Amino acid sequence: MTTDILIIGAGITGTALAREISRYDVSCVVIDRACDVAEGATKANSGIVHAGYDAVPGTLKAKYNVAGAAAYPGLCRELGVPYKRCGALVIGFDEADEKTLRNLLDRGIQNGVEGLRILDRNAALEMEPNLNPDIRSALYVPTSAIVSPYEMAFALADDAALNGVDFRFSQPVRSIGRTEDGRWHVRTDTDTYECMAVVNCAGASGAELHNMISDIQLKMIHRRGQYYLLDRAEQQPFAMTVFQCPSRMGKGVLVSPTVHGNLLLGPTAEDIDDPLDTATTAGGLAEILQKAGKTWPGISTRTNITNFSGIRAHLTTDDFMVGPVSGCKNAYEAVGIESPGLSSAPAIAADLCRMIAEDLKWNRKADIGIRPALKREKAFASMTAEERAEMVRKDPLYGNIVCRCETVTEAEIRQAVRRPVGARTIDGVKRRTRAGMGRCQGGFCLPRVAAIIAEETGCSLAEVTKDGGCSRILADPLDSFLKGGGDRE
């Protein structure tokens, strides 16, 4: 297949870049090794839009964090993505922590973050009464926010696809080279692509792809972060995101509300060898409870509904790499996009697209040629009784509740499959609609969700997977199972 530009990676950075490129009169393809958008670090992080007080002034992390965070409110409004500016506290317990907080304040001021101030113990406890009363002081960050990271990536991808970008999944890159006429040649397990320009947004695989084409070799450390997610039935103990003082391993264990009303505890920071190892461990989860308990003495995991982990792509240079790949004409990259990568993605994408467009002399589409963002209906779960009645009148499938925990309807699940970059797996439906996100974690709704996917896509029920690959829900065809046959004993 030939295309003007190929983006490798459909996480938050790749989808944001694809949307920017879709505003130009060029062809663009996005490929990803996984089966859906946002299957890497984008689906498993804290969902925090950091204000930018932590990044070292003068670094790309500082530059893109502050600019990206400023872009979020407007972008989320336009794309219909949940976003809440809830603020944050960084708490300290002793004199050394207080010195760290003042350093963070100075960094934030240098980075241009507004509204920062140091609070004494009483002021912090007045804001968040469930904090550990042993705290000594806190840094108040009013512009910190929370967002749904994977919903942001889905919305960006849908918008890009509406404007001509082609998304292709289950395409792990096996080689990158040059054709005789200087174009890039990228081979995956099933396809080959020839393109004028290629962009590496491959997250945890970013350094590996970089090293395939560049003489300057990068070293990436894969850092795993584990989390607890508590049921939203529990009353929220905190209105803001609460951090402890950061260390060289990152921003530390936080306690934070999510945009959907759950409570998140984590992450750990463990350097591991396998970039795809997203297991959770007894030791890691115990560490979270011990550290989060210092923030929240009343901590309880009685309403824990799931645990998960994600991989951060930490470069040994300790900063993002964004721009042309050294010595490789028409190859570009956004590598080492760890925290604050989610916050930075809109700004990275805008800057990277500008560089590429200038180098290749692209023409921007006229505004009339750009299709507006897809309008999504308000979630049935958050509608009033009158709104629900009206939606059922318009479409009776709104009257079929498939997910009881999260009140998700059949109409919403079918819409998720029919989106421009639609769901093809159980987890894909879960992240687009919240069906299966509640207390029972899909115990009731999973079979019906699988059946709807099969009906909408024309595949058999046995072909539906949880998250792609070999994760089939049924081991054998159902009729074979009912007859007592099948190829498994």
Side-chain angles (χ1 to χ4, degrees):
M1 179 180 187
T2 60
T3 181
D4 291 321
I5 184 164
L6 180 73
I7 299 173
I8 302 172
I12 190 69
T13 308
T15 53
L17 178 61
R19 180 176 182 270
E20 292 286 339
I21 289 174
S22 73
R23 272 51 180 167
Y24 288 83
D25 196 14
V26 295
S27 59
C28 177
V29 175
V30 180
I31 61 173
D32 196 287
R33 65 166 183 78
C35 64
D36 200 355
V37 170
E39 282 288 318
T42 302
K43 76 175 180 185
N45 61 71
S46 305
I48 310 295
V49 180
H50 295 287
Y53 63 83
D54 184 45
V56 177
T59 61
L60 291 183
K61 286 183 178 179
K63 170 186 169 183
Y64 289 127
N65 184 166
V66 175
Y72 259 90
L75 199 50
C76 288
R77 265 196 309 274
E78 180 182 353
L79 298 176
V81 175
Y83 169 90
K84 183 178 181 182
R85 181 166 284 182
C86 59
L89 289 177
V90 187
I91 58 174
F93 292 88
D94 53 30
E95 191 173 339
D97 285 349
E98 191 162 310
K99 184 177 179 183
T100 300
L101 296 180
R102 296 209 171 274
N103 286 337
L104 292 175
L105 174 67
D106 290 342
R107 280 189 187 184
I109 291 171
Q110 289 183 64
N111 291 341
V113 181
E114 297 179 350
L116 298 173
R117 69 176 193 268
I118 299 289
L119 305 178
D120 62 21
R121 171 186 177 277
N122 290 339
L125 286 171
E126 188 173 339
M127 283 187 171
E128 292 289 4
N130 290 311
L131 283 174
N132 188 337
D134 292 338
I135 67 164
R136 175 170 170 148
S137 55
L139 175 65
Y140 175 50
V141 189
T143 56
S144 182
I146 52 179
V147 72
S148 171
Y150 42 83
E151 288 183 68
M152 188 71 187
F154 293 143
L156 291 165
D158 283 344
D159 193 78
L162 272 177
N163 287 286
V165 175
D166 183 6
F167 283 80
R168 297 174 171 226
F169 299 102
S170 302
Q171 302 259 336
V173 172
R174 299 307 181 195
S175 68
I176 307 177
R178 292 275 199 184
T179 62
E180 290 183 358
D181 63 357
R183 295 168 66 83
W184 287 102
H185 181 277
V186 178
R187 184 177 64 81
T188 70
D189 281 348
T190 54
D191 295 293
T192 58
Y193 300 88
E194 288 191 5
C195 50
M196 181 59 70
V198 64
V199 191
N200 174 6
C201 298
S205 301
E208 181 183 350
L209 295 186
H210 169 100
N211 294 340
M212 286 183 181
I213 61 174
S214 177
D215 291 335
I216 300 174
Q217 299 291 282
L218 297 180
K219 184 176 180 183
M220 182 174 283
I221 296 171
H222 301 104
R223 188 162 289 167
R224 182 170 60 192
Q226 303 184 37
Y227 292 89
Y228 272 92
L229 185 68
L230 306 191
D231 191 357
R232 62 181 178 177
E234 186 79 4
Q235 186 174 1
Q236 285 283 351
F238 299 104
M240 290 187 277
T241 302
V242 183
F243 299 91
Q244 294 175 20
C245 286
S247 70
R248 67 176 184 83
M249 297 293 278
K251 296 181 179 66
V253 170
L254 58 79
V255 180
S256 178
T258 72
V259 286
H260 295 294
N262 299 89
L263 189 73
L264 196 63
L265 312 176
T268 54
E270 315 153 58
D271 293 346
I272 59 173
D273 294 330
D274 183 353
L276 303 180
D277 183 0
T278 54
T280 56
T281 64
L285 297 177
E287 179 186 339
I288 293 171
L289 295 185
Q290 185 268 324
K291 291 183 176 176
K294 188 175 180 183
T295 296
W296 178 28
I299 191 169
S300 167
T301 57
R302 187 178 62 83
T303 58
N304 181 49
I305 54 175
T306 193
N307 302 102
F308 63 92
S309 74
I311 305 295
R312 285 164 266 171
H314 175 73
L315 285 177
T316 52
T317 52
D318 201 23
D319 199 5
F320 298 157
M321 290 189 70
V322 177
V325 181
S326 179
C328 302
K329 186 179 179 183
N330 296 342
Y332 302 85
E333 62 189 355
V335 180
I337 312 301
E338 59 178 337
S339 179
L342 173 66
S343 316
S344 305
I348 291 174
D351 207 21
L352 196 49
C353 183
R354 177 192 57 76
M355 294 179 203
I356 299 169
E358 288 178 0
D359 285 353
L360 301 181
K361 300 182 177 11
W362 285 348
N363 293 318
R364 193 173 175 87
K365 292 177 181 174
D367 288 344
I368 197 171
I370 298 173
R371 298 183 65 178
L374 188 66
K375 182 180 180 306
R376 278 189 289 281
E377 299 291 350
K378 186 177 179 181
F380 191 79
S382 58
M383 291 180 186
T384 64
E386 292 75 17
E387 289 171 333
R388 290 182 176 184
E390 177 61 15
M391 292 306 293
V392 173
R393 188 188 65 76
K394 289 180 181 176
D395 181 354
L397 293 184
Y398 272 98
N400 297 342
I401 303 298
V402 176
C403 173
R404 303 178 192 179
C405 300
E406 296 293 314
T407 321
V408 182
T409 68
E410 180 175 345
E412 291 170 296
I413 293 170
R414 291 188 184 276
Q415 289 165 13
V417 179
R418 295 171 187 170
R419 283 168 63 155
V421 186
R424 294 294 180 271
T425 65
I426 300 291
D427 282 358
V429 168
K430 178 174 74 173
R431 296 191 188 99
R432 286 171 176 85
T433 67
R434 295 191 59 76
M437 282 278 193
R439 177 170 291 186
C440 86
Q441 290 287 290
F444 283 101
C445 64
L446 187 150
R448 184 61 187 136
V449 170
I452 293 172
I453 293 172
E455 291 165 15
E456 288 287 334
T457 63
C459 72
S460 72
L461 196 54
E463 293 175 290
V464 176
T465 65
K466 180 179 182 298
D467 57 358
C470 300
S471 62
R472 290 191 301 163
I473 302 301
L474 297 175
D476 293 305
L478 190 56
D479 58 348
S480 175
F481 173 76
L482 293 174
K483 292 173 184 173
D487 56 6
R488 292 163 59 94
E489 294 187 356

